[in-house]
Amino acid sequence: MASTFDPLLNPSNDSSTVINSPPPSNLTQDDLKRIAAYKAVEFVESGMVIGLGTGSTAKHAVDRISELLREGKLRDIIGIPTSTTTHEQAVSLGIPLSDLDSHPIVDLSIDGADEVDPSLNLVKGRGGSLLREKMIEGASKKFVVIVDESKLVKYIGGSRLAVPVEVVPFCCDFTRGKLEELFREAGCTAKLRMKSGGETAAVTDNGNYVVDLYLERDMGDLEAASEAILRLPGVVEHGMFLGIATTLIVAGKSGVTVRDRFG
């Protein structure tokens, strides 16, 4: 098929791209998320240890894995959830669960992303689960990222939405100020994430807070930015997932695109 996909998906020669037949044009964003999730579950094989992602797109993948287990098309799957929300979903669906202490090597993780740049670097954690997601997906032999085409950006922070940083509660405003100062040249505004209603800080599954970075411009060298963030006392982890994703699945109006980082 002709190259009708977004050029952000194919910036270099380190990838292979497959485009399936286009879906109906009247699909909603949630429909596209489900299509990408179901495509990702095709990578799951019986006997695997699977990292179960968090968020609206990953939820479809967990549902699909459960369905295939009930049908007997998958067997002996062990899931490792990336959040308490996903843990509760998997338990309700009867998916056997474990953790990294018992299974330090994960065969495959499937999760969504808030942003994907042309090099398959990600922003994740707008749902607050970035630390557990990075631990589990970083321990995975293969990490399949599932998104709809709205998540594609030219650079990290390009959506002008949050790049999350998990911080300890102690003197969190001090840490917030240091983060904002760190990326002042990129037009950064750093805000402590609040619960609905705006009176108290949102708390992660790990009991920490989240500072959201809003960028007006490209922050530049992502590895250098990552190191600078992690050097700040008070920072636990950030939501930039650099070089972790192995496969990207994008569902869009022109069809489903699969890109492999390693070709």
Side-chain angles (χ1 to χ4, degrees), residues 51-108:
L52 304 177
T54 298
S56 57
T57 307
K59 182 178 184 297
H60 290 303
V62 177
D63 287 340
R64 180 60 173 165
I65 290 170
S66 171
E67 180 182 341
L68 294 176
L69 284 169
R70 289 196 306 271
E71 294 174 352
K73 296 177 181 178
L74 285 177
R75 300 180 305 278
D76 302 321
I77 293 294
I78 296 174
I80 301 183
T82 57
S83 66
T84 56
T85 299
T86 301
H87 183 278
E88 290 168 1
Q89 179 195 5
V91 167
S92 71
L93 295 172
I95 298 175
L97 299 179
S98 189
D99 55 33
L100 289 178
D101 288 338
S102 300
H103 295 86
I105 298 176
V106 180
D107 295 303
L108 168 70

Side-chain angles (χ1 to χ4, degrees), residues 6-189:
D6 192 304
L8 291 175
L9 284 172
N10 197 22
S12 63
N13 60 5
D14 68 341
S15 63
S16 58
T17 304
V18 178
I19 302 179
N20 293 343
S21 56
S25 59
N26 62 345
L27 293 178
T28 66
Q29 185 177 29
D30 192 61
D31 291 332
L32 295 176
K33 291 178 179 181
R34 185 175 65 255
I35 289 168
Y38 278 40
K39 183 68 176 177
V41 175
E42 293 179 11
F43 288 93
V44 178
E45 299 177 3
S46 294
M48 279 187 167
V49 177
I50 306 294
L52 304 177
T54 298
S56 57
T57 307
K59 182 178 184 297
H60 290 303
V62 177
D63 287 340
R64 180 60 173 165
I65 290 170
S66 171
E67 180 182 341
L68 294 176
L69 284 169
R70 289 196 306 271
E71 294 174 352
K73 296 177 181 178
L74 285 177
R75 300 180 305 278
D76 302 321
I77 293 294
I78 296 174
I80 301 183
T82 57
S83 66
T84 56
T85 299
T86 301
H87 183 278
E88 290 168 1
Q89 179 195 5
V91 167
S92 71
L93 295 172
I95 298 175
L97 299 179
S98 189
D99 55 33
L100 289 178
D101 288 338
S102 300
H103 295 86
I105 298 176
V106 180
D107 295 303
L108 168 70
S109 282
I110 299 174
D111 205 354
D114 301 307
E115 291 184 0
V116 184
D117 80 359
S119 298
L120 267 63
N121 295 311
L122 317 173
V123 171
K124 291 175 53 56
R126 289 180 188 157
S129 302
L130 58 155
L131 176 58
R132 297 189 187 188
E133 288 174 339
K134 190 172 286 189
M135 290 177 67
I136 293 166
E137 290 151 11
S140 301
K141 296 178 183 177
K142 189 177 186 68
F143 174 26
V144 179
V145 180
I146 46 178
V147 296
D148 66 89
E149 59 190 354
S150 71
K151 301 302 190 296
L152 304 179
V153 296
K154 293 182 179 179
Y155 60 88
I156 291 300
S159 69
R160 301 291 182 91
L161 299 175
V163 177
V165 181
E166 187 162 344
V167 303
V168 297
F170 177 73
C171 295
C172 59
D173 193 57
F174 171 82
T175 308
R176 182 207 61 76
K178 288 294 185 181
L179 287 165
E180 187 170 275
E181 181 181 342
L182 194 61
F183 299 107
R184 190 174 302 281
E185 292 186 3
C188 177
T189 299

Side-chain angles (χ1 to χ4, degrees), residues 228-240:
I229 293 171
L230 295 175
R231 280 199 300 267
L232 288 176
V235 167
V236 178
E237 188 52 87
H238 60 70
M240 295 188 296

